[in-house]
Amino acid sequence: MSDVTRRTMFQLTAAAGAGAAVPAAAKRKEVTTYVFVTGSNGVATGDNELTLRGHRTLGVNLPGHGPEEQFHHAYQAPQDLEKLATIPSPMAGVTLDDYVEATMDVVRKVSRYGPVILVGGSLGGSTITKVADEVPDLIDRLVYVSAYCCTNLRSPAEYLETPEGRTTLGGAILPGIVGDPRVLKAVRINWRTKDRTFLDAAKAAFMAEGTDGEFLAMLNSSLPDESLQVSSADARGRKSAWGRVPRVYIRHSKDQVIPIALQDRMIKEADSATPGNRFKVFTVDASHAPTPKAYRKITDILDGLAK
């Protein structure tokens, strides 16, 4: 240990023993934490590039979204579709409130160490809105990444029934449903099917500009099951809580699942509800599921929010 280090430690120890304040330079430096809330069928992930740039990042482990809970031998190759259709789902009965509670738990913990930027993608927008309703003072910024932001209508399901939402290609997943959602109390998609018609339609909907490898990598990291309740739950925020948290919207200009017109409608409605706290809007040339190249641009945007 160097003399300088020994001397610094001695001074800090002496100061603490004497009840003196620790010099500001010796305190833990506040670091921005990005908390990521996944959309449908996603797993908890952070952003390694943001971490390399000096931030902290982590993904929320949403109830029922653990790969170890959802992956079964019947889902592997060769698949046993008859068995896959009947395996009980860990998503059965999971609600938006459950997602919110899990996310609030993370926000409360990380807010002790510095600013919190809460990021929601796609259906994750519903969760971050309701979290901001509960703990607005713990969140420094909300970021919607081509995500649902419900204001005039109550739920993502209702927004998809609007003229702007009806052009969605999200229905491409319907032929991939396995089992009866009413029995499973969840929606189960066989992302690992070899049905080329389904795969081509899903690629056009979710990642049209990606390579086959990029698209299949995305599918193979997706969970088969998603809640039957979250997309229809009331996800509106209150002006007095959610409405006062600074917010950002990152538009995906090529999105065929949440079409750009629907994104713009949600931005406009939110801005009208809270004219004193309008969205800061960015646009990325990306489909609903961005390619690695497109996601690097999103990372750049996120990085800039902490400066």
Side-chain angles (χ1 to χ4, degrees):
M1 184 181 290
S2 69
D3 290 340
V4 173
T5 304
R6 286 195 184 95
R7 183 165 57 250
T8 301
M9 288 191 64
F10 175 79
Q11 290 171 342
L12 292 177
T13 303
V22 176
K27 293 181 180 179
R28 181 196 299 269
K29 180 182 178 182
E30 285 196 344
V31 177
T32 297
T33 303
Y34 294 80
V35 177
F36 289 86
V37 180
T38 182
S40 297
N41 306 95
V43 296
T45 55
D47 186 320
N48 291 340
E49 178 61 28
L50 282 176
T51 301
L52 290 173
R53 298 185 190 187
H55 311 297
R56 302 196 322 157
T57 75
L58 73 160
V60 178
N61 291 307
L62 296 176
H65 278 247
E68 71 283 358
E69 300 175 86
Q70 293 210 24
F71 290 157
H72 302 275
H73 286 294
Y75 188 52
Q76 296 298 112
Q79 292 187 314
D80 185 340
L81 295 182
E82 184 176 343
K83 182 176 181 179
L84 184 62
T86 61
I87 296 172
S89 174
M91 298 301 304
V94 173
T95 67
L96 178 59
D97 287 342
D98 295 325
Y99 286 1
V100 171
E101 189 63 36
T103 305
M104 280 198 301
D105 182 56
V106 173
V107 169
R108 287 190 178 108
K109 291 176 181 176
V110 301
S111 64
R112 305 170 190 168
Y113 304 102
V116 176
I117 296 179
L118 183 57
V119 185
S122 192
L123 188 59
S126 293
T127 300
I128 69 172
T129 293
K130 299 304 289 184
V131 171
D133 245 12
E134 297 295 328
V135 289
D137 294 329
L138 299 184
I139 302 167
D140 291 83
R141 197 177 299 271
L142 294 168
V143 182
Y144 295 79
V145 183
S146 197
Y148 289 101
C149 180
C150 302
T151 305
N152 291 1
L153 302 179
R154 69 189 302 275
S155 69
E158 289 189 6
Y159 273 100
L160 286 176
E161 292 300 318
T162 64
E164 298 86 353
R166 288 184 189 132
T167 62
T168 180
L169 298 184
I173 68 171
L174 296 179
I177 291 179
V178 176
D180 187 340
R182 296 168 298 180
V183 175
L184 296 175
K185 295 182 172 58
V187 179
R188 177 168 294 159
I189 306 294
N190 181 16
W191 301 115
R192 294 181 178 174
T193 179
K194 63 180 181 180
D195 183 341
R196 192 56 187 262
T197 300
F198 168 82
L199 292 173
D200 288 346
K203 186 174 186 293
F206 289 93
M207 192 189 279
E209 73 274 25
T211 66
D212 286 346
E214 289 169 338
F215 170 66
L216 293 175
M218 184 271 291
L219 283 194
N220 283 313
S221 66
S222 299
L223 300 174
D225 291 10
E226 183 52 73
S227 168
L228 195 59
Q229 302 183 42
V230 173
S231 64
S232 59
D234 191 337
R236 294 170 292 184
R238 302 191 310 275
K239 297 178 185 179
S240 61
W242 158 84
R244 58 187 173 86
V245 181
R247 59 181 185 255
V248 168
Y249 202 102
I250 301 178
R251 300 161 76 244
H252 287 193
S253 63
K254 294 181 177 179
D255 198 330
Q256 299 296 327
V257 176
I258 305 180
I260 191 70
L262 181 55
Q263 296 173 53
D264 288 341
R265 172 176 175 155
M266 292 187 289
I267 292 169
K268 182 178 180 180
E269 290 180 357
D271 287 349
S272 295
T274 59
N277 179 31
R278 300 171 65 86
F279 268 113
K280 185 174 184 179
V281 179
F282 298 87
T283 302
V284 175
D285 193 23
S287 293
H288 190 68
T291 63
K293 180 180 179 181
Y295 192 79
R296 285 194 289 272
K297 297 178 182 178
I298 296 173
T299 295
D300 289 339
I301 294 169
L302 295 174
D303 182 33
L305 299 178
K307 296 177 181 177

